[in-house]
Amino acid sequence: MNAEAVSTSEYDVIVVGSGFAGLTAARELAHSGRRVVVLEARDRIGGRTWLDQRMGLPLELGGTWVHWVQPHVWSELRRYGIGLSPSPAPENAYWWDGERAAVGTPSALLELLDRPNELLAARSRNVFPHPFAPLDSEMARSVDEVSLLDHLDRLPLSATERALLESFWTLNFNGRLDDAAYTQALRWIALANGDWKVMFEACATYKIAGGTAALLEAIRRDTAAEFVFGADIRSVSASPEGASVETSDGRSWDAPDVIVTVPLHALHRVSFTPALPPAVADATAAGQLGLGTKIWFTIAGEQRPFVALGAADWPLNFFQSEYAKDGTTFVIGFGRDASVIAPDDRSAIQEILRRLVPDVEVLDSAGHDWVADDFAQETWPMHRRGFLSRSLPALRAGHGAVRFAGSDVAEGWGGFIDGAIESGLTAARDVLSRIDAPREALAATT
Ligand SMILES: Cc1cc2nc3c(=O)[nH]c(=O)nc-3n(C[C@H](O)[C@H](O)[C@H](O)COP(=O)(O)OP(=O)(O)OC[C@H]3O[C@@H](n4cnc5c(N)ncnc54)[C@H](O)[C@@H]3O)c2cc1C
């Protein structure tokens, strides 16, 4: 499409972004007979999930693992008849005990992580008795300014337990913990019914058969919406009656309802008229804490499946091997700060892994820098202190005809594919109930 204004009022709803949140919202609205256009800045669907061919294999560069404790993604998999593909069960474990490298079984590492995580998890179901309604919890609001690090400092832990627990939660936050919300950690655990091991299983055990692309394509095929790619939305003008959106190259669309699924950290690129309320603007300016990295690399030899947990402040602090094939092993590494290690820095990756696994030889590597990516600027959204009680309600309230959706604003599994789907369902339902309300009122009087 060229850079000229396009039609107005052809659509009932504009959806900005075609990740899991945008696709789900578009499908629900189109199924209800609404005319929907999805405006996507990239040239592909999927957003922060991206199955791409790298180093000879289709690799998930972003979101990957799902679980049956995540009801929204699980329901989508059932709906489209898509199964699971398990990651290999690790046989060996390596870890940094705070002072030196250790080696043992995965159960031994889990055992070391168990007591500190149980202490952390103890209040999760008190703070979040209904984990999918976090904003209803008075207790959650009362502890939402508590920092996770401060809380860890108060737990009666040995030096090794403290080091391992901090590294484990650095992995989960994919970011620095300095401003991390205690409530965010508790919410994840509460969603797994208070069981941190189930929560961890949900994070890194079962992949979608055929990859995230299989589910994305299934939803897209089921969506009678129009898709426009290369539409980088830079401004949104909203009123109670409707909204218009405009791209960087001057194209514009109008509709009575707009759903914006742009990640919170990238929302500052979009100017809003009228200006966003302070609670939303502040959250957008501060962004999320998931500013880390996920790097794929190959090592020489077909290794038995392993996991490795280093120190929190290492550029990569967690490793998990995924495939052993043709004389090499494919490994994923996670770290808290994308700015300190590039996905193609093989010698740095090798040096870090050798702190735990001697003599390992890194052959190749690949990844995507989500933080440097204009349309993401974050990995998975992990909340700062106060986000849940101050910013989330304001984001969920929307802005005139604009509703916000996305994993960033999910009520349940925020930070996951599940949360993105949940938020897309909610935003579509909100739009439909607004559209349908006058008709229902009319029907009631006749
Ligand atoms: C490295 C990594 C690992 C992860 N691992 C997991 C995991 O194992 N399991 C799990 O459940 N989740 C995981 N996640 C999180 C999960 O991928 C996300 O929570 C989820 O995919 C977000 O979906 P979304 O629709 O909310 O946002 P997105 O997928 O980010 O979609 C937003 C869309 O908006 C578009 N956009 C942005 N700005 C504009 C603009 N100005 N105009 C138009 N379009 C715009 C983007 O291009 C994008 O397509 C991971 C994420 C990352 C990055």
Side-chain angles (χ1 to χ4, degrees), residues 118-148:
E118 286 292 340
L119 286 171
L120 174 64
R123 290 175 70 210
S124 67
R125 291 303 311 281
N126 301 103
V127 174
F128 292 109
H130 304 292
F132 276 94
L135 300 174
D136 293 350
S137 166
E138 196 63 49
M139 201 189 286
R141 279 196 292 276
S142 74
V143 295
D144 196 32
E145 297 294 340
V146 173
S147 108
L148 178 60

Side-chain angles (χ1 to χ4, degrees), residues 1 4-11 14 226 251-255:
M1 225 181 275
E4 54 193 40
V6 260
S7 62
T8 60
S9 64
E10 255 180 65
Y11 302 102
I14 295 166
E226 186 179 327
R251 289 173 287 162
S252 65
W253 288 260
D254 290 350

